[in-house]
Amino acid sequence: MPSSIEKLQKFLRLEAERGYDNRAVVGGLDKIVPNWVSEAREQNLDAELIQRVTQDLNSYGDMDPLSRPPVVQSLLDYLQEQLTANPSLASPAPAEKNTSATRGQDPQSPKGQRERDKGSKGGSGTRSQPSRQAEDVSHLGLNAPLTVLTGIGHQNAQTLQNLGLETLGDLLYYFPRRYIDYSQLKTINRIEYGEELTIIAGVQSVSTRPIRGGQMQIIEVIVSDSTGFLRLSWFNQNWIANRLKPGEQIVISGKVDMYLGRLVMNNPEWETLDQQQLNTNRIVSVYSLTARVTQRMLRRIIHQTVSFWAPRLVDPLPEKVKQSAGLVNLATAIQQVHFPDSFEKLQAARARLAFDEIFMLQLGVLRQRAQWMVGTAQQFNASDEWLEQQVSRLPFRLTSAQHKVIDDIRKDLASGKPMNRLLQGDVGSGKTIVAALAAILVAQGGAQTAFMAPTSILAEQHYRNLLHLMATSADENAPLKPEEIRLLIGDTSESEKQEIRESLKSGVIKILVGTHALIEDPVEFERLQFAIVDEQHRFGVSQRSALRAKGENPHLLVMTATPIPRSLALTVYGDLDLSVMDEMPVGRQPIATYVLHPRERERAYQMIHAQIEKGHQAFIIYPLVEKGDRDEAKAAVEEQARLQKEVFPLLKIGLLHGRLKPEEKDRVMTAFRDQEYQVLVSTSVVEVGVDVPNATVMIVEGANRFGLSQLHQFRGRVGRGQDQSYCLLIPETEDAVENERLTVMSETNNGFVLAERDLEQRGPGEFLGTRQSGFNELKMASLTDVHLIEKARQQAQALFEEDADLSLPENQELNKMLRRFWSDGKGDLS
């Protein structure tokens, strides 16, 4: 064993025995670095090993005592791994024979590996083997743990878990978040301020300068080529001063800055000229990091893995799909996305990997749709005369959009196949009456309907509306009797629950409205043939599956008031037939929307006073902080007290927030609806479906915290009647960019326009909710890329029509990939 490693192990073990007090060496562990580095170089230890040791020891003294144990243990593990992976270190040859040429012959030596790879940029075609991989992990493949890699001990492996990296396969698909173009190689006399570029130069001098009273150090290095000199500087990285020596040729990449009128580079990346260049002189990948993980470390281990494994990957895409879609093979895509040779190749790699993700989604939803449509369902037919009779009873005229959706649903119910339809309608577009007419049609056929809503307030609202529209006792021509429509929520008394369960099982109840209480085990339907799920993104996959399981292939209608962008609907809801209602009922006025600066808040209060004098009501919304935070209701509670005391002392102000019990929420909302309160202060729990026609003012404080679609939902709580309504958005700051985003709300009342903007700005999570959470985890594809989505959908449909089961030999690998992709609950029919 080299004496330098043996000594270092003794120092580290002594440090552990002393309780990590940094007294194993007089003055601290960093004091041994200069002599240790000299000895290590004389013994021809690997440059990366030396760099790792100097980095850890130089920073050790500045660490909190609690942070020191993992550093020492990690370094001991690392040294032991080096000895294990390189037997030559355990019994080194005489120093005079241990030349670089001899080291280059060791197939397991990292230094020898770099010698073989010299001159390569590490892009496509590199087939270097990570140390120990071939012999230790051939039986595990890409499922092998990261500890099989040189330099990754158990401590580092645990740290990398914070990035979601546990196996070699995880490394292949841990894509860079951005890239720096260091491929522009220039001489020193041609560089300009602000450029990001690479130079090759020789080290002229190395110096260290103390700052902050000697607590910190600046390392300054002068380099030169044949055209000029350049000053490089690093902050508090003493190991660089020990590593760089005058006369050494290095590759430097970074951004050109200026100091005292001279061009300089601060904290540039650098590598020796004979070293394989992963950090300089190329397009350099930049990864998301966590504590104690550096870009250099991550690039090194990813390059190890990609170089060995990417060429060995089996490409699951059939050749004809790749040719038709114009895609590169998987090995090239993985290599080029991590270590691109050019931006053109990088773009091709990203296109291939993004296509794979969308293609898997498309195949999955097509397969789900096919599985759903295999079954048969009861047919329900309704004549035009019957429909006209039902519509004529309504106290309002249906819009043309409502008529179209009703026709779509009638066709589905009469088809003999289970309906599987998504109805998306803007706030206040009249989705409930469409669902109600469908439920009446099913009831006329002798079957039952389950109508599930996410909250007790909304379920009760649907129940009242159905009673009013379909079971008025005063109307002898009403299609249903009041006892045939019932409400089941958590607060329903046990005696009433029992009576409902009995009436449901006997078939007396035709429509059961409720919350998740509908899917509890004691609830049994006599003949459930229609399931309606309102605000479907509020329910989990298992809840919707449980509701469907209450019947035998029931027809399914899922509804949302959140307009879903077309690209998202094509991808995520490709298994559903889509109906859109984008037309407001007759008489509804657009809601006047304004963005106010925080200092204009008094104008908003004046608006409330004016509307209340006319007999109307107002909402004031405060941001809902992270669920589970103790301060969740603080803003609303404090502001309600302030408003009651200082701003509206003569008014009654209600308070609604997520800390209230369900029965308290219902009581407050009911009191506001019944005009016992003139103003309701609330958090975002008021967002969904609550109908208070007398409310004409919506003020949203901290509006910058919400997405446009959520703000649109808030705005939809007013304007439910015939009177002009107003929505006033008050951001927390005067930030011009943020306020510009909010001004879109004042420009349009069209929820679909806002949804497209939200998708661009905030990603798909705003629309997906708990449905298919895997869609939020797409690593490469963008759900705003309509061109990519349509191309992938076209290819998926063509393949599905030819081989729906993916049973042909050329589709076997694709079938395996599809099963893996959908094995973690990323999708469900609704």
XYZ file of all heavy atoms in Angstrom, residues 720-750:
246
model
N -72.846 34.653 -10.895
C -73.764 33.525 -11.082
C -75.201 33.990 -11.281
O -76.067 33.187 -11.609
C -73.709 32.588 -9.869
C -72.338 32.305 -9.318
C -71.581 31.246 -10.059
N -72.128 29.913 -9.917
C -71.483 28.815 -10.340
N -70.292 28.929 -10.893
N -72.033 27.632 -10.220
N -75.424 35.281 -11.034
C -76.764 35.813 -11.227
C -76.823 36.724 -12.454
O -76.003 36.639 -13.365
N -77.781 37.642 -12.462
C -77.976 38.528 -13.611
C -77.251 39.860 -13.466
O -77.203 40.648 -14.412
C -79.482 38.807 -13.793
C -80.325 37.542 -13.975
C -79.957 36.770 -15.236
O -79.784 37.352 -16.296
N -79.828 35.461 -15.099
N -76.670 40.125 -12.298
C -76.053 41.429 -12.046
C -74.586 41.446 -12.473
O -73.904 40.418 -12.457
C -76.154 41.780 -10.561
C -77.600 41.868 -10.098
O -78.289 42.809 -10.523
O -78.026 40.979 -9.333
N -74.107 42.644 -12.831
C -72.688 42.815 -13.163
C -71.838 42.476 -11.952
O -72.098 42.929 -10.840
C -72.415 44.249 -13.602
C -70.944 44.553 -13.888
C -70.415 43.766 -15.068
O -70.930 43.884 -16.179
N -69.398 42.955 -14.842
N -70.792 41.674 -12.177
C -69.909 41.266 -11.082
C -68.474 41.684 -11.371
O -68.108 41.973 -12.515
C -69.984 39.746 -10.876
O -71.268 39.373 -10.415
N -67.660 41.675 -10.304
C -66.299 42.204 -10.398
C -65.316 41.258 -9.703
O -65.629 40.668 -8.661
C -66.219 43.589 -9.744
C -67.227 44.570 -10.298
C -68.515 44.654 -9.751
C -66.904 45.395 -11.365
C -69.451 45.531 -10.265
C -67.837 46.275 -11.890
C -69.101 46.345 -11.338
O -70.023 47.221 -11.857
N -64.121 41.168 -10.261
C -63.036 40.406 -9.658
C -61.809 41.314 -9.577
O -61.361 41.859 -10.597
C -62.715 39.155 -10.492
S -61.351 38.172 -9.850
N -61.290 41.519 -8.371
C -60.152 42.413 -8.143
C -58.973 41.583 -7.625
O -59.077 40.936 -6.578
C -60.514 43.493 -7.125
C -61.801 44.279 -7.428
C -62.078 45.293 -6.322
C -61.719 44.977 -8.774
N -57.873 41.595 -8.362
C -56.691 40.804 -8.015
C -55.633 41.720 -7.413
O -55.230 42.700 -8.043
C -56.137 40.106 -9.255
C -57.140 39.255 -10.044
C -56.469 38.693 -11.301
C -57.698 38.130 -9.189
N -55.167 41.395 -6.218
C -54.174 42.230 -5.527
C -52.931 41.387 -5.253
O -52.944 40.550 -4.345
C -54.733 42.797 -4.204
C -56.071 43.510 -4.466
C -53.724 43.731 -3.562
C -56.735 44.030 -3.200
N -51.866 41.563 -6.031
C -50.629 40.815 -5.753
C -49.932 41.343 -4.513
O -50.253 42.428 -4.009
C -49.795 41.052 -7.023
C -50.287 42.359 -7.552
C -51.747 42.449 -7.199
N -48.954 40.599 -4.039
C -48.260 40.970 -2.801
C -47.244 42.082 -3.010
O -46.923 42.822 -2.080
C -47.548 39.741 -2.222
C -48.509 38.688 -1.729
C -47.790 37.415 -1.318
O -46.967 36.909 -2.105
O -48.048 36.944 -0.213
N -46.714 42.189 -4.223
C -45.669 43.185 -4.495
C -46.005 43.947 -5.766
O -46.997 43.666 -6.443
C -44.298 42.511 -4.666
O -44.314 41.726 -5.873
C -43.983 41.614 -3.483
N -45.112 44.888 -6.086
C -45.275 45.681 -7.305
C -44.544 45.032 -8.486
O -44.326 45.672 -9.504
C -44.714 47.097 -7.089
C -45.304 47.829 -5.896
C -46.696 48.364 -6.190
O -47.075 48.388 -7.366
O -47.398 48.753 -5.236
N -44.137 43.769 -8.347
C -43.326 43.098 -9.356
C -43.993 43.171 -10.730
O -45.090 42.659 -10.939
C -43.122 41.633 -8.965
C -42.186 40.916 -9.907
O -42.658 40.423 -10.944
O -40.975 40.865 -9.616
N -43.317 43.817 -11.673
C -43.915 44.083 -12.987
C -44.166 42.799 -13.763
O -45.206 42.634 -14.415
C -43.006 45.016 -13.788
N -43.211 41.851 -13.696
C -43.366 40.609 -14.459
C -44.545 39.815 -13.941
O -45.372 39.313 -14.707
C -42.071 39.770 -14.368
C -42.264 38.412 -15.042
C -40.906 40.521 -14.995
N -44.653 39.702 -12.616
C -45.747 38.951 -12.020
C -47.090 39.604 -12.337
O -48.060 38.927 -12.667
C -45.541 38.874 -10.503
C -46.578 38.029 -9.785
C -46.621 36.607 -10.296
O -45.590 35.923 -10.284
O -47.706 36.175 -10.743
N -47.141 40.917 -12.240
C -48.395 41.606 -12.518
C -48.778 41.510 -13.982
O -49.963 41.507 -14.327
C -48.297 43.068 -12.071
C -48.159 43.171 -10.555
O -48.393 42.207 -9.841
N -47.768 44.334 -10.075
N -47.780 41.421 -14.860
C -48.075 41.246 -16.285
C -48.749 39.899 -16.514
O -49.657 39.779 -17.335
C -46.783 41.344 -17.096
C -47.014 41.253 -18.598
C -45.714 41.383 -19.391
O -44.677 41.733 -18.788
O -45.749 41.135 -20.588
N -48.306 38.886 -15.767
C -48.957 37.576 -15.869
C -50.420 37.666 -15.452
O -51.308 37.088 -16.091
C -48.219 36.571 -14.979
C -48.815 35.165 -15.001
C -48.041 34.216 -14.106
N -48.307 34.443 -12.704
C -49.287 33.843 -12.031
N -50.098 33.002 -12.641
N -49.465 34.096 -10.746
N -50.684 38.434 -14.396
C -52.047 38.541 -13.892
C -52.958 39.350 -14.813
O -54.172 39.149 -14.809
C -52.035 39.178 -12.497
C -51.361 38.367 -11.385
C -51.338 39.162 -10.090
C -52.067 37.035 -11.173
N -52.371 40.259 -15.594
C -53.217 41.090 -16.451
C -53.952 40.265 -17.505
O -54.950 40.731 -18.062
C -52.386 42.188 -17.153
O -51.298 41.577 -17.867
C -51.841 43.179 -16.162
N -53.477 39.062 -17.781
C -54.204 38.191 -18.716
C -55.622 37.971 -18.212
O -56.557 37.852 -18.999
C -53.472 36.845 -18.889
C -54.216 35.941 -19.861
C -52.049 37.068 -19.367
N -55.788 37.936 -16.894
C -57.117 37.740 -16.316
C -58.061 38.878 -16.682
O -59.270 38.665 -16.839
C -57.013 37.643 -14.792
C -56.333 36.399 -14.271
S -57.343 34.924 -14.450
C -58.720 35.314 -13.377
N -57.526 40.080 -16.796
C -58.376 41.221 -17.132
C -58.667 41.287 -18.625
O -59.561 42.018 -19.050
C -57.717 42.523 -16.665
O -56.493 42.739 -17.339
N -57.904 40.528 -19.420
C -58.071 40.586 -20.870
C -59.081 39.579 -21.394
O -59.606 39.744 -22.492
C -56.711 40.345 -21.548
C -55.685 41.439 -21.244
C -54.285 41.039 -21.680
O -54.124 39.902 -22.196
O -53.357 41.843 -21.505
N -59.334 38.507 -20.638
C -60.245 37.483 -21.151
C -60.982 36.789 -20.022
O -60.450 36.617 -18.920
C -59.485 36.431 -21.984
O -60.408 35.450 -22.474
C -58.420 35.726 -21.152
N -62.225 36.407 -20.287
C -63.008 35.553 -19.398
C -63.021 34.114 -19.906
O -63.718 33.263 -19.363
C -64.445 36.066 -19.292
C -64.599 37.128 -18.200
O -64.998 36.823 -17.086
N -64.261 38.366 -18.526
N -62.236 33.841 -20.968
C -62.211 32.518 -21.585
C -61.235 31.622 -20.821
O -60.028 31.824 -20.844
C -61.777 32.638 -23.050
C -61.915 31.318 -23.793
O -61.598 30.262 -23.265
N -62.398 31.389 -25.026
